[in-house]
Amino acid sequence: MRIGILGSESSHAMQFAKFYNLPDPETGKMRFEDIRVTAIMGDEATAGETARQAGIPHILTDAEEMASMVDAVMITSRRGSQHLVHARPFIARGLAMFVDKPFTSDVEEAAELASAIEKAGCPVMGGSGCKYSKGVQTLKCRVAELRSEGKLRSAAMDFSLVPDSPYDGFWFYASHLVEICMEVFGTDIRAVQAVKTEKAVIANVCYADLIVSLHFAADVWQNHACTLVTVDGTVTLPLDTAGSLDQEATRFAKLLQGNYESMSYEELVRPVVIMDAILRAEVTGITVFLS
């Protein structure tokens, strides 16, 4: 299976390329013998350096050409606003694809991209890999246990934010916390409230049985946590996302091998809908109700 990477400016591009093309430093063995990154396209300097370090034979400047040379694509460009355009040549060929976070930076584009992928029958996964980390999965199990016992009352989570990012601002990093929240607490968010300061956005996402407060904080890059308010007292657990990129790459490899289920339209689009709702609530000061 030949993978093309489109968008080399992200550190994800280098990590994914090394994951597939170089031996695992712990075992000395290739992780997947039948999968390699064979082409890369993006910023000239970063594409060249990634190709050099990961042994990628082809550095390209045209997505149509890449689509003709690969079996799958990983779209890792930082701007979600570019993902729809970048994906089109690969959708036209029905290729498997990974679309990095955020899936898009616009709800209508997310719907158009997910619909095109679904219509073409492209195997797909995307969004933030943080939701796959062992730490997040452990937290998910704990929350499910508390909910089943009727003990959970509310919760709060924090994660990094780059509010003035040149890569579509809030959209660039917000997907991580939104998707972690949806993985841990579920996708059935009924309403969103939000306020903004110069260095933070705080959003309350409302479920039928509880409210989860999401703290998007600038310049906070470590020791993230989730606080659970329960009938037995308040519990704070680390929000550990270590190893998430390897988990993401492993799942994409299994998707290519037919051993992992493709993400649905709803799974791809819903996080974009939630981020859009946060931005609308922040601007208007009005609760945004979701269907």
Side-chain angles (χ1 to χ4, degrees), residues 54-93:
I56 302 172
H58 303 292
I59 303 174
L60 306 176
T61 57
D62 182 79
E64 293 279 358
E65 182 182 11
M66 179 182 284
S68 71
M69 296 172 59
V70 299
D71 305 299
V73 65
M74 301 187 81
I75 298 174
T76 56
S77 46
R78 284 176 168 169
R79 290 180 176 87
S81 55
Q82 296 177 331
H83 290 172
L84 174 60
V85 171
H86 285 168
R88 281 177 175 147
F90 305 93
I91 294 172
R93 292 176 178 266

Side-chain angles (χ1 to χ4, degrees), residues 19-260:
F19 181 89
Y20 294 120
N21 286 16
L22 302 181
D24 184 333
E26 293 186 5
T27 67
K29 298 179 180 180
M30 300 301 295
R31 297 174 180 87
F32 295 93
E33 291 291 350
D34 58 343
I35 299 174
R36 295 290 181 274
V37 176
T38 58
I40 189 167
M41 172 181 162
D43 171 77
E44 183 177 353
T46 56
E49 184 61 19
T50 303
R52 184 188 69 79
Q53 290 195 34
I56 302 172
H58 303 292
I59 303 174
L60 306 176
T61 57
D62 182 79
E64 293 279 358
E65 182 182 11
M66 179 182 284
S68 71
M69 296 172 59
V70 299
D71 305 299
V73 65
M74 301 187 81
I75 298 174
T76 56
S77 46
R78 284 176 168 169
R79 290 180 176 87
S81 55
Q82 296 177 331
H83 290 172
L84 174 60
V85 171
H86 285 168
R88 281 177 175 147
F90 305 93
I91 294 172
R93 292 176 178 266
L95 301 184
M97 64 177 58
F98 166 83
V99 184
D100 211 343
K101 61 83 188 166
F103 183 64
T104 68
S105 300
D106 177 88
V107 173
E108 291 185 3
E109 288 186 2
E112 182 178 348
L113 178 52
S115 294
I117 289 170
E118 187 175 63
K119 184 177 180 180
C122 302
V124 62
M125 63 175 289
S128 169
C130 291
K131 59 183 176 284
Y132 301 127
S133 69
K134 292 180 180 178
V136 170
Q137 292 301 311
T138 298
L139 178 60
K140 179 180 179 179
C141 291
R142 180 61 176 146
V143 166
E145 179 184 8
L146 289 168
R147 266 178 156 173
S148 68
E149 296 171 350
K151 292 184 176 181
L152 186 60
R153 294 295 178 264
S154 65
M157 313 174 84
D158 76 275
F159 208 76
S160 308
L161 176 69
V162 187
D164 300 318
S165 169
Y167 308 109
D168 298 338
F170 175 82
W171 292 93
F172 173 54
Y173 232 74
S175 189
H176 288 312
L177 185 53
V178 168
E179 293 192 47
I180 290 170
C181 174
M182 294 174 71
E183 180 72 13
V184 172
F185 296 97
T187 62
D188 189 22
I189 296 170
R190 309 293 182 85
V192 173
Q193 304 165 328
V195 292
K196 177 184 179 181
T197 68
E198 183 180 353
K199 294 294 184 179
V201 174
I202 299 176
N204 290 328
V205 295
C206 308
Y207 293 88
D209 61 333
L210 78 158
I211 296 174
V212 181
S213 181
L214 303 182
H215 295 242
F216 304 85
D219 308 318
V220 178
W221 295 102
Q222 57 188 353
N223 298 327
H224 305 300
C226 177
T227 297
L228 305 174
V229 180
T230 81
V231 295
D232 297 323
T234 300
V235 180
T236 298
L237 301 171
L239 196 58
D240 184 3
T241 58
S244 58
L245 287 179
D246 282 2
Q247 288 287 337
E248 197 167 38
T250 297
R251 291 178 189 231
F252 187 57
K254 290 181 178 179
L255 178 72
L256 298 181
Q257 295 172 333
N259 298 321
Y260 189 74

